[in-house]
Amino acid sequence: MFESLEERPTDAIMALMALAKADTNPNKIDLGVGVYKSDDGATPIMRAVKQAEGLYLTEEATKSYVSTIGNADFRKTMLDLIFGADYPALREDRIASAQSTGGSGALRLGAELIKSSGKEPSVWVPTPTWANHEPLIGSAGLQIKSYPYYNRETLGVDFEDMLDHLRQNAKPGDAVVLHGCCHNPTGADLSPDQWDRTAEFLRDNQLVPFIDLAYFGLGHGLTEDTYGLRKVGETCPEVLLAASCSKNFALYKERVGLVAAITTSADQARVVQGQFGALQRRLTSMPPDHGAALVARILDDAALRDVWLEELTEMRGRIKDLRKDLSDALRVQGAEAMAAAIIDQNGMFSTLPLSVEQVHRLRSEHSVYMTNSGRINIAGANSTNIPALADAILKVL
Ligand code: LMR
């Protein structure tokens, strides 16, 4: 059996992680994988998570199974956090949800739900998008199509092109993946006005928004970063959501995520929730509980929640400071357009206008690591190496 299998290349982002790790240059700058780092290059466990974990270890009474849709407290506290407890669809019990194995598991469950509808819609993803969107969603058996999003010349969103393309090519019932905030890989987000127009556009063209909310809290703030999701949820009858706690709770390896669907009625939500449970059972049976239990503990406890919010605010502030420092350093050297884009963009990522060859030169000549597309994770830089980073970028340009 196994002899017929072909060798597969290692995932590009995972391979880049290994390359950066193996580089012994003490001045290397690793801007690869989307993992938050503090100024000393570490990815610490958040203070609130450590405290919750201490409490949880003494309180936890069993390792028995939870359920196919996961931890109920986690689902409730997450939905309240994302939508706000007064959100109409939440108050009316129109939101189905399931805990998932990270944001990736949520994307996959969302894709499986679309597939289960039996309607064979296409799923539209932006160009560019997170490299794993197509494999995760496509391998549920759905056809993936692309719409224009980021313009590598203007370093901004091609908003009218995006709407025109979808207007002309998408069919009623198709799903459209939108990054809720902190677009991966470009950091170029829709403005609130653009979200308002997008929501109406999707409703008028009977398209179903599928919002990937992997980095909320790390852009402008929890409320600002969920604006687009809440807007489409108030405007369109049906919405899918894949949310992650990997980044904003720094729980990466614990694999904590939430899939949710805004539906048209409480009855419909009950059916969708049952589907989520059945789909999860078929794929992995149940999501892991540890990380989700910690998130629920933090969100349920006012004191722990404050500790978490404070640290999240620090992380967001540090990302903004690094953006400003890099932008200033590039501006001094005359790279005006790049400097302006880095300030406008949001969250950990920006995509620099570099060729693959320039990216490889940055790696081999300067020990600066980023994906071949020119995506940088700005949180991988620090207050002392920004001038060297700007210098290296300018040298290869
Ligand atoms: C990234 O985009 O770097 C992260 O989301 C990590 C991953 O799994 O690709």
Side-chain angles (χ1 to χ4, degrees):
M1 179 201 284
F2 299 151
E3 71 278 1
S4 63
L5 299 175
E6 283 171 17
E7 196 151 349
R8 303 280 301 256
T10 314
D11 175 88
I13 291 177
M14 299 299 127
L16 187 65
M17 251 174 106
L19 267 183
K21 199 166 172 199
D23 187 335
T24 53
N25 180 349
N27 299 320
K28 69 184 170 188
I29 306 179
D30 179 7
L31 310 175
V33 67
V35 166
Y36 177 84
K37 293 186 190 140
S38 49
D39 220 45
D40 59 1
T43 301
I45 300 174
M46 291 177 83
R47 297 187 289 271
V49 168
K50 262 290 184 217
Q51 288 176 29
E53 207 154 37
L55 295 167
Y56 186 63
L57 282 180
T58 48
E59 288 163 4
E60 189 185 25
T62 177
K63 294 283 185 192
S64 182
Y65 294 124
V66 179
S67 92
T68 57
I69 55 168
N71 182 315
D73 281 348
F74 168 78
R75 292 189 294 105
K76 182 183 178 326
T77 51
M78 278 292 283
L79 290 175
D80 286 352
L81 176 76
I82 292 171
F83 290 101
D86 285 338
Y87 194 70
L90 203 50
R91 268 202 331 257
E92 293 155 16
D93 291 330
R94 287 191 287 112
I95 306 186
S97 67
Q99 184 199 320
S100 60
T101 306
S104 299
L107 286 165
R108 184 53 184 263
L109 283 167
E112 294 282 343
L113 188 81
I114 295 172
K115 182 72 185 168
S116 298
S117 72
K119 295 200 168 143
E120 301 292 329
S122 299
V123 178
W124 294 83
V125 297
T127 304
T129 197
W130 180 43
N132 213 18
H133 269 155
E134 182 163 353
L136 268 174
I137 299 171
S139 54
L142 295 166
Q143 192 177 7
I144 307 289
K145 294 180 178 165
S146 300
Y147 63 85
Y149 183 80
Y150 184 69
N151 185 322
R152 282 182 73 101
E153 303 287 315
T154 63
L155 309 183
V157 178
D158 256 342
F159 185 63
E160 299 303 332
D161 275 5
M162 159 180 143
L163 295 191
D164 283 348
H165 189 90
L166 288 169
R167 189 179 293 112
Q168 284 162 29
N169 298 288
K171 295 186 314 297
D174 282 357
V176 179
V177 172
L178 292 150
H179 298 226
C181 65
C182 311
H183 181 268
N184 178 5
T186 69
D189 284 342
L190 300 182
S191 66
D193 283 351
Q194 289 173 331
W195 272 113
D196 294 352
R197 278 190 60 199
T198 303
E200 284 167 17
F201 169 85
L202 294 168
R203 179 198 59 203
D204 295 348
N205 289 275
Q206 296 170 57
L207 300 170
V208 180
F210 190 175
I211 310 290
D212 185 348
L213 198 61
Y215 292 83
F216 68 110
L218 290 170
H220 291 301
L222 284 167
T223 311
E224 296 86 337
D225 293 350
T226 50
Y227 176 84
L229 166 70
R230 284 181 284 109
K231 188 72 195 182
V232 296
E234 283 157 10
T235 313
C236 303
E238 294 181 339
V239 178
L240 273 167
L241 164 68
S244 171
C245 299
S246 293
K247 326 285 171 169
N248 49 14
F249 285 86
L251 277 166
Y252 308 91
K253 68 181 180 181
E254 300 290 359
R255 312 307 298 133
V256 192
L258 181 86
V259 64
I262 301 180
T263 68
T264 50
S265 68
D267 275 350
Q268 187 70 83
R270 204 178 32 74
V271 172
V272 171
Q273 185 129 321
Q275 283 281 343
F276 280 145
L279 291 167
Q280 186 128 257
R281 180 77 171 144
R282 195 172 79 187
L283 286 171
T284 53
S285 190
M286 276 167 256
D289 183 60
H290 186 77
L294 300 182
V295 170
R297 192 78 177 69
I298 292 167
L299 294 178
D300 255 340
D301 178 320
L304 279 180
R305 191 184 178 106
D306 284 349
V307 175
W308 172 66
L309 286 173
E310 192 183 303
E311 195 162 5
L312 186 64
T313 306
E314 281 166 23
M315 288 159 73
R316 189 167 60 238
R318 179 168 178 276
I319 291 172
K320 280 194 195 295
D321 290 348
L322 287 168
R323 282 195 176 278
K324 175 151 190 340
D325 291 351
L326 181 58
S327 175
D328 289 349
L330 288 167
R331 184 165 284 123
V332 166
Q333 305 207 37
E336 274 295 329
M338 221 193 302
I342 283 170
I343 283 292
D344 283 350
Q345 292 164 354
N346 215 10
M348 286 195 211
F349 302 121
S350 280
T351 294
L352 305 182
L354 300 172
S355 65
V356 176
E357 194 224 324
Q358 289 165 332
V359 168
H360 287 179
R361 278 187 56 206
L362 277 166
R363 242 176 253 173
S364 57
E365 295 170 22
H366 303 277
S367 288
V368 171
Y369 291 83
M370 63 184 69
T371 66
N372 283 348
S373 64
R375 183 191 84 170
I376 58 167
N377 166 14
I378 187 83
N382 63 43
S383 44
T384 47
N385 64 22
I386 287 276
L389 172 61
D391 223 47
I393 293 169
L394 268 299
K395 279 204 177 103
V396 302
L397 268 176

